[in-house]
Amino acid sequence: MRYRLGPGDYVTGGIFYTLLIAYSFSTLYPFYNILVMSLSDGSALTRGIVYMWPRDFSLENYKAVFTQPDLVNAFMMSVLRTLAGAALTVGNMCLVAYALRRKDLSFRKGYLVLLTIPVFFGGGLIPTFLNFRLLHLYDTFWIYILPSLFSYFYFLILIAFFNDMGESLEEAAKIDGAGYFMILSRIYMPLSLPVLAAITLFEGVNQWNAFFDTLYFTSSKDLVTLQALLAKIITSTETMATMQFAGEEHRKLNPKGVQLATMMVATLPIVFIYPFLQKYFVKGIMLGAVKE
Amino acid sequence: MKSPTPIYQTTARTDARPSRTRLRLAKLGKERALHLMVLPTVIVLILISYMPMYGIIIAFMDYDVFKGYFGSPWASHHGFEHFYDFFTDPAFGQVMRNTIAIAVLKLVLITPLPLLLALILNEIRFNPFKRVVQTATYLPHFISWVIVGGLIYMWLDPELGFVNHMLLTLGIAADPINFMGESKYFYPIVLFSDAWKDTGYASILYLAAISGVNPELYESAEIDGAGRWRKMWHITVPQTKGTFVVLFILSCAAIMSGGGSTFSQFYILSNPTNNETSMIIDLYALRQGFEYARYSFATAIGLFKSVLSLVLLLSANYISKKWADRSLF
């Protein structure tokens, strides 16, 4: 006898819906909470808890963020490394994935071994640090770019996708006299936009969120990023550091308020871009993963 | 006098056919653009990933920054001095206990969650709702632990945080609790925040696997009278067992090695007051290396941890091959 929906189903259905709504709410509310807290007057924050609406609406925290030179510099540096890093990484990944996709390339096995070993084995933190110093990369902008130029994860996804596109496109182009670089840029890349968008999003987010490399592989203030600045403040136990955060002119501001505004600035780009690209990256992952 | 040409040699002589090396060189010539494409990656990998591997050698030395790799003396006990130091260090027990405890807790409690979420989501027919839920729950994964950690500190703050505020107004607690300042609250905080942050995103792969299941299986089960739970237990779960096992193995390795997420999380959330439970092996090595400049010692710890993770990865892989017929290699 065919199964029919019974009352029990509606109950479980209801439970599922409730659970999902609760979980979704819990992932969205915190960011709303930072927003209203950061839009509150600093002294109001100490007087009571802010839940739904700003208490004593004020833009003073944001004014501090955008006028404090340290914070502005950090923001610019974050933007710079995100754009440069994402672009260069995606570009390089296209090159490698396209080149290594054909099984008939000379030394292909050798290349693959070279690419695979670092996934499982690495030098460790101190040797990496010492190596950066040796190469004079310590405290340079390149420290943000070079280590992430190749990622095995993106490699697998891209290669799977390129191979899915089939050989006929490439054969036809070769007959027309196109060189490999042209085939890659005019044919393969335009046709892989969903996957490229997914990888760009991932790498962009990784670059934007990175803080450890700034903290341990750089020393000058010019290279400080937004996340690193926040990390320093949050993990520091001295109140002096948090006081200085808001800057001299803003000593009357609640440093927590300024910290919240900074956190908002550090989170907003992701929150904005993310929904639009979400459909791309889900498709990208599914394409790559289902092929496994 | 020339030697007689053997009767079977009827074709032209061999030097009219190019030699094998010639052919290979010609092929390389045609492929040169492709090799050029791989070149940047090769250079970067050698410089950034392979060169430090040589540096591991300092774990067996008494590394001196001024003497470098070739001038530093070898450590005593045939180079194993630092390993002995680590094993006999009073902090060793605590560090290992913390690392293993959190690894086990995460493996047992956290890794099944994305699967559960995927199963529940799969039961929802109303697509717009499904999409909203997915968009919402994937979001925290993309926010850095710096932000999330900062939020946690704020919410759990004894004076300003809403958690204490609620506890006090609801009468559950008499005094505000300094959550981030006491070791005993650390693990629940870590587990909750990790589940909150990554469950949504981790469920994508499971959803992909579930959507790959043949719908005819469900159809025929329904005709035979199977309800929601029967279908889930007898069809969905068995069909996705492979994916779960592979992901489980990967989590084993990642968590034990203090993989990216765990490390960042602990880095931000641990502070001197909750050290007793928050000091994991990676953090310990970090402090020893960067704050006390004990480079060799820290490298030795890192090497020990790498070896341990590798062993764990291979064991998990072997066990799953025996029990579930699936493995990573």
Side-chain angles (χ1 to χ4, degrees), chain B residues 267-327:
Chain B
Y267 182 83
I268 299 288
L269 293 177
S270 73
N271 60 56
T273 55
N274 57 28
N275 256 350
E276 207 186 301
T277 41
S278 66
M279 187 58 85
I280 53 173
I281 204 171
D282 283 299
L283 280 180
Y284 185 67
L286 183 71
R287 306 244 178 264
Q288 292 294 317
F290 280 95
E291 276 170 42
Y292 298 99
R294 298 174 70 183
Y295 290 157
S296 287
F297 184 58
T299 310
I301 299 178
L303 184 59
F304 169 70
K305 188 211 73 180
S306 294
V307 168
L308 217 60
S309 319
L310 199 63
V311 167
L312 212 74
L313 176 65
L314 293 174
S315 326
N317 190 60
Y318 178 75
I319 293 178
S320 90
K321 203 185 278 191
K322 280 282 153 120
W323 280 356
D325 255 348
R326 300 288 191 114
S327 61

Side-chain angles (χ1 to χ4, degrees), chain B:
Chain B
M1 178 165 133
K2 279 210 211 132
S3 48
T5 329
I7 44 176
Y8 51 77
Q9 192 176 333
T10 50
T11 53
R13 285 180 37 100
T14 41
D15 60 11
R17 175 172 69 83
S19 68
R20 229 187 284 158
T21 351
R22 266 290 163 74
L23 282 173
R24 217 174 250 161
L25 281 177
K27 185 172 179 233
L28 272 177
K30 279 203 218 113
E31 290 171 345
R32 65 180 182 278
L34 295 178
H35 291 285
L36 207 61
M37 289 183 187
V38 187
L39 191 64
T41 303
V42 169
I43 296 180
V44 164
L45 279 182
I46 292 180
L47 288 180
I48 308 265
S49 301
Y50 282 93
M51 277 177 66
M53 286 186 199
Y54 179 77
I56 293 181
I57 207 161
I58 68 176
F60 302 99
M61 293 173 161
D62 268 332
Y63 184 72
D64 184 323
V65 195
F66 300 108
K67 300 199 190 127
Y69 291 145
F70 300 105
S72 298
W74 291 98
S76 50
H77 294 119
H78 308 287
F80 283 91
E81 170 189 352
H82 300 294
F83 294 91
Y84 284 133
D85 281 346
F86 180 49
F87 297 144
T88 52
D89 193 310
F92 177 72
Q94 182 182 318
V95 168
M96 288 310 292
R97 185 205 67 199
N98 290 341
T99 311
I100 294 178
I102 203 64
V104 169
L105 283 172
K106 279 198 179 185
L107 270 177
V108 171
L109 296 175
I110 306 288
T111 38
L113 292 178
L115 176 61
L116 291 175
L117 179 63
L119 288 173
I120 294 180
L121 265 180
N122 190 44
E123 297 293 320
I124 307 291
R125 300 294 131 136
F126 186 47
N127 275 331
F129 177 72
K130 214 170 171 173
R131 271 185 302 228
V132 168
V133 170
Q134 286 178 297
T135 306
T137 56
Y138 297 165
L139 180 63
H141 169 85
F142 294 97
I143 310 291
S144 75
W145 273 114
V146 174
I147 310 280
V148 177
L151 282 181
I152 292 178
Y153 269 109
M154 250 177 240
W155 289 333
L156 296 177
D157 190 278
E159 291 134 26
L160 305 173
F162 81 88
V163 174
N164 274 304
H165 185 244
M166 292 230 267
L167 289 176
L168 289 172
T169 38
L170 292 177
I172 302 178
D175 297 305
I177 307 178
N178 186 5
F179 288 100
M180 293 303 292
E182 290 181 47
S183 300
K184 61 180 178 179
Y185 295 112
F186 193 68
Y187 288 160
I189 294 174
V190 163
L191 292 171
F192 264 110
S193 53
D194 196 24
W196 173 83
K197 189 172 189 287
D198 284 322
T199 300
Y201 178 76
S203 71
I204 297 183
L205 280 175
Y206 290 113
L207 279 174
I210 291 178
S211 65
V213 176
N214 190 348
E216 282 177 25
L217 288 171
Y218 292 116
E219 261 298 311
S220 46
E222 208 164 291
I223 292 178
D224 289 338
R228 184 207 304 274
W229 299 107
R230 279 253 165 78
K231 277 191 276 188
M232 212 189 275
W233 186 249
H234 290 283
I235 302 177
T236 318
V237 172
Q239 292 285 324
T240 55
K241 202 163 51 163
T243 312
F244 183 70
V245 164
V246 169
L247 290 175
F248 189 77
I249 299 179
L250 288 174
S251 321
C252 267
I255 292 178
M256 172 59 191
S257 72
S261 186
T262 305
F263 180 74
S264 302
Q265 178 188 32
F266 271 71
Y267 182 83
I268 299 288
L269 293 177
S270 73
N271 60 56
T273 55
N274 57 28
N275 256 350
E276 207 186 301
T277 41
S278 66
M279 187 58 85
I280 53 173
I281 204 171
D282 283 299
L283 280 180
Y284 185 67
L286 183 71
R287 306 244 178 264
Q288 292 294 317
F290 280 95
E291 276 170 42
Y292 298 99
R294 298 174 70 183
Y295 290 157
S296 287
F297 184 58
T299 310
I301 299 178
L303 184 59
F304 169 70
K305 188 211 73 180
S306 294
V307 168
L308 217 60
S309 319
L310 199 63
V311 167
L312 212 74
L313 176 65
L314 293 174
S315 326
N317 190 60
Y318 178 75
I319 293 178
S320 90
K321 203 185 278 191
K322 280 282 153 120
W323 280 356
D325 255 348
R326 300 288 191 114
S327 61
L328 212 51
F329 10 75

Side-chain angles (χ1 to χ4, degrees), chain A residues 1 3 9 23 26-27 30 33 49 92 96 104 106 111 114 125 131 202 209 216 227 260 263 274 278, chain B residues 27 31 35 41 47 50 135-138 142-144 147 154-155 160 196 201 222-223 225 228 267 286:
Chain A
M1 191 182 79
Y3 180 81
D9 288 304
Y23 185 36
S26 78
T27 54
N33 192 229
I49 312 293
N92 183 54
V96 194
D104 57 5
S106 324
Y111 281 133
L114 189 82
L125 188 58
N131 186 52
F202 272 115
N209 286 341
Y216 287 91
Q227 304 279 347
L260 283 162
M263 283 164 80
Y274 161 76
Q278 192 229 342
Chain B
K27 185 172 179 233
E31 290 171 345
H35 291 285
T41 303
L47 288 180
Y50 282 93
T135 306
T137 56
Y138 297 165
F142 294 97
I143 310 291
S144 75
I147 310 280
M154 250 177 240
W155 289 333
L160 305 173
W196 173 83
Y201 178 76
E222 208 164 291
I223 292 178
R228 184 207 304 274
Y267 182 83
L286 183 71

